[in-house]
């Protein structure tokens, strides 16, 4: 019995570099688990439904989002349903997770951050309160590692905006302020952070060995349950997982 195909679902970006980063991440994951396809819920294609229609055999969809908002709660389940694929599992989104906090700390260090420097976690933002709660949890996980409060700023949706948070910290006496980019890949949102007035901006999470392992773990946990579900009744297993879908934007 063949292993399920992995479908890595990302937001989408017009940035060639961002698309290349997502493709490189999928390549690293495929070296560990086999067939890995990439789909996007916005900006460009292919969509998850298009990818799933092209697959034979079971599939595991991994939402590569760092917080659970509209795209994870609504877009991904709708795309799975629209595909008509009879055997799909959807895993939890990537974040928040302690693994991501460790990668964020490394990216901050690479950008020149030192203990004692203020940290702003820059997230895309969402109108979904569940996604904002996930961002707060991500900030709390990072705060444990940097041993200081991590302030939150948003790039697109929700308040406060990143530049406002940076200004407030400087007005409060923080000499050095660094931005931790809580984004998966390069793109318009990340480039906006360069104008936030910080002393340094960390790179997006990108292709990192720990992130690759997190994706592989998400897949393997669901792939194992997919196999067990087929033995005991594949149709009911798919219905249960659709009710459990965990989202993020």
């Amino acid at each position: 019995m063949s292993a399920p195909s992995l479908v890595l679902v990302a937001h989408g970006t017009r940035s060639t570099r961002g698309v290349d980063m997502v493709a490189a991440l999928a390549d690293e994951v495929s070296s560990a688990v086999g067939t890995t396809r990439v789909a996007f819920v916005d900006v460009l294609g292919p969509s998850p439904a298009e990818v799933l229609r092209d697959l034979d055999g079971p599939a595991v969809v991994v939402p590569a989002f760092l917080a659970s908002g509209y795209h994870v709660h609504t877009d991904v389940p709708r795309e799975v349903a629209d595909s008509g694929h009879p055997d799909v599992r959807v895993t939890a989104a990537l974040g928040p997770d302690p693994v991501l906090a460790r990668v964020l700390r490394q990216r901050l260090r690479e950008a020149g951050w030192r203990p004692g420097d203020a940290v702003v976690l820059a997230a895309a933002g969402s109108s979904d309160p569940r996604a904002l709660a996930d961002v707060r949890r991500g900030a709390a996980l990072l705060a444990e590692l940097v041993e200081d409060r991590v302030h939150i700023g948003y790039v697109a949706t929700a308040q406060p905006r990143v530049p406002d948070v940076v200004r407030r910290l400087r007005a409060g006496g923080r000499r050095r302020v660094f931005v931790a980019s809580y984004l998966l890949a390069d793109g318009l949102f990340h480039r906006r952070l360069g104008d936030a007035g910080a002393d340094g901006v960390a790179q997006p999470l990108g292709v990192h060995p720990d992130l690759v392992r997190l994706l592989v773990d998400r897949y393997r946990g669901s792939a194992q349950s997919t196999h067990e579900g087929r033995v005991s009744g594949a149709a009911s297993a798919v219905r249960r997982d659709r009710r459990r879908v965990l989202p993020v934007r």
Side-chain angles (χ1 to χ4, degrees):
M1 188 176 294
S2 62
S5 299
L6 191 159
V7 180
L8 181 67
V9 178
H11 179 273
T13 174
R14 291 183 178 85
S15 165
T16 301
R17 186 164 182 262
V19 173
D20 288 345
M21 288 175 74
V22 174
L25 185 61
D27 286 344
E28 291 296 320
V29 172
S30 68
S31 67
V33 304
T35 302
T36 300
R37 299 281 300 275
V38 174
F40 301 98
V41 295
D42 201 359
V43 182
L44 72 163
S47 69
E50 289 170 333
V51 170
L52 288 169
R53 290 188 198 111
D54 195 40
L55 291 177
D56 295 322
V60 173
V61 171
V62 181
F65 293 87
L66 310 181
S68 295
Y70 182 85
H71 290 312
V72 175
H73 287 291
T74 301
D75 283 341
V76 170
R78 185 189 65 244
E79 290 281 341
V80 171
D82 288 350
S83 74
H85 196 294
D87 195 352
V88 181
R89 291 282 179 124
V90 181
T91 76
L94 291 185
D97 193 282
V99 170
L100 302 182
R102 292 196 295 271
V103 178
L104 286 168
R105 181 179 59 177
Q106 179 178 330
R107 297 292 188 231
L108 281 168
R109 286 173 169 166
E110 293 167 352
W113 171 87
R114 300 191 299 266
D117 296 338
V119 175
V120 179
L121 183 72
S126 174
S127 59
D128 190 324
R130 294 169 294 185
L132 302 184
D134 282 348
V135 173
R136 291 194 293 273
R137 177 57 182 156
L141 291 169
L142 180 58
E144 293 176 5
L145 298 182
V146 301
E147 299 181 340
D148 195 358
R149 178 182 174 185
V150 170
H151 305 263
I152 298 172
Y154 296 100
V155 184
T157 307
Q159 296 289 336
R161 296 302 175 90
V162 176
D164 296 333
V165 179
V166 173
R167 283 193 293 270
R168 188 182 73 225
L169 288 168
R170 292 205 188 282
R174 301 301 293 263
R175 291 183 57 251
R176 284 166 46 95
V177 181
F178 282 77
V179 172
S181 180
Y182 199 46
L183 301 167
L184 182 65
D186 193 19
L188 175 62
F189 287 174
H190 180 73
R191 290 195 294 274
R192 287 180 181 172
L193 299 178
D195 298 324
D199 293 279
V201 177
Q203 289 298 306
L205 291 164
V207 184
H208 188 283
D210 288 349
L211 183 57
V212 172
R213 281 191 289 271
L214 179 59
L215 284 163
V216 170
D217 288 345
R218 289 280 193 273
Y219 165 81
R220 285 179 173 161
S222 189
Q224 177 62 29
S225 63
T226 298
H227 172 74
E228 293 169 353
R230 285 200 303 275
V231 172
S232 62
S236 61
V238 169
R239 286 195 296 271
R240 284 197 304 273
D241 260 37
R242 283 177 179 167
R243 289 197 297 269
R244 279 206 308 268
V245 167
L246 302 177
V248 5
R249 175 182 171 84

